[in-house]
Amino acid sequence: MSQSIIKHLQDYLGAHIEKINPNTQAIDPATRHHRYDLLAQAAIPAVLTAFYKHSRSPSGAKDLAGDIGKSEPLDFLLKGRKAAVVTKIAAYSGVSEEQSEAAMDAVADESIRFVRNKLGSNMNAENIQTYFASQRQDILSHLPEDIRMGELLDDNTLDDRTNKMAGPISSVAQAISNLLSSPGTEDNDRR
């Protein structure tokens, strides 16, 4: 797998985030250090889930590879759903909506910069799709269930518990899911 964008963003924000426990669908309460870590726990995978979802269609990946939405990536990715996502992340982390939005904007801006640097001269729609497909499992295994990004993005597979599991059976289920969401999916799920 390519270098983890989750790890990079965690370092970039100076925060600590964890994989979600597949049984409880939450992080271990004993490890919740402070609100900033909870904000990062919600904002990083939520924003990356929006990038992943947008990259699934050829036109969405082309938009990400170009300059469309570069100046306001969060607005571009979430469109009319931004306020709902900001509210969910603020509620999860116990911060104001302004703090939630600022953190999400920082994550979106740094994500674009990181992917552009990672792909360099190979920045094109196909490589964007491949990159985010390779990061899918890592992203979704950090995504708190309480955010309900699947509902917010009209893709309930994103909230599926198997995305947070490890082991041979769940690996097969994840491989099938990755295959079905591989580059070249149709544009018909864009709204």
Side-chain angles (χ1 to χ4, degrees):
M1 176 167 78
S2 303
Q3 179 185 1
S4 170
I5 193 169
I6 291 272
K7 172 78 171 107
H8 171 76
L9 291 169
Q10 181 175 251
D11 293 344
Y12 174 77
L13 293 177
H16 173 74
I17 70 171
E18 304 173 26
K19 287 188 175 186
I20 301 299
N21 181 319
N23 297 318
T24 64
Q25 292 291 295
I27 60 173
D28 181 0
T31 63
R32 290 186 177 196
H33 301 290
H34 51 74
R35 284 187 183 155
Y36 187 73
D37 285 340
L38 287 177
L39 177 57
Q41 181 75 53
I44 291 172
V47 170
L48 291 176
T49 299
F51 271 105
Y52 165 77
K53 177 70 174 161
H54 199 80
S55 75
R56 294 303 79 211
S57 72
S59 65
K62 184 178 177 184
D63 292 347
L64 292 175
D67 286 337
I68 297 175
K70 188 176 174 184
S71 64
E72 296 289 334
L74 198 57
D75 293 320
F76 173 72
L77 291 170
L78 296 173
K79 298 185 181 20
R81 301 171 179 137
K82 180 180 174 182
V85 177
V86 166
T87 299
K88 287 273 193 176
I89 289 174
Y92 177 84
S93 56
V95 301
S96 70
E97 289 186 10
E98 291 79 17
Q99 291 171 304
S100 172
E101 185 173 0
M104 292 172 64
D105 281 331
V107 168
D109 291 342
E110 181 59 16
S111 296
I112 286 177
R113 191 199 65 74
F114 179 80
V115 172
R116 286 186 186 282
N117 286 342
K118 186 81 176 149
L119 296 179
S121 63
N122 295 320
M123 182 79 162
N124 60 45
E126 184 177 333
N127 288 337
I128 288 280
Q129 287 188 315
T130 301
Y131 180 78
F132 279 105
S134 75
Q135 298 290 312
R136 178 185 186 273
Q137 182 58 37
D138 196 32
I139 293 167
L140 296 179
S141 69
H142 287 84
L143 183 64
E145 180 186 40
D146 296 348
I147 306 300
R148 308 301 301 164
M149 281 301 288
E151 286 178 19
L152 294 168
L153 297 176
D154 296 323
D155 183 351
N156 289 330
T157 64
L158 299 172
D159 294 327
D160 192 306
R161 193 175 284 243
T162 60
N163 291 317
K164 294 163 181 55
M165 294 180 177
I169 300 297
S170 57
S171 294
V172 170
Q174 292 161 7
I176 291 169
S177 182
N178 285 342
L179 179 64
L180 294 175
S181 67
S182 65
T185 57
E186 297 299 319
D187 268 339
N188 61 1
D189 55 279
R190 295 240 338 182
R191 297 184 201 244

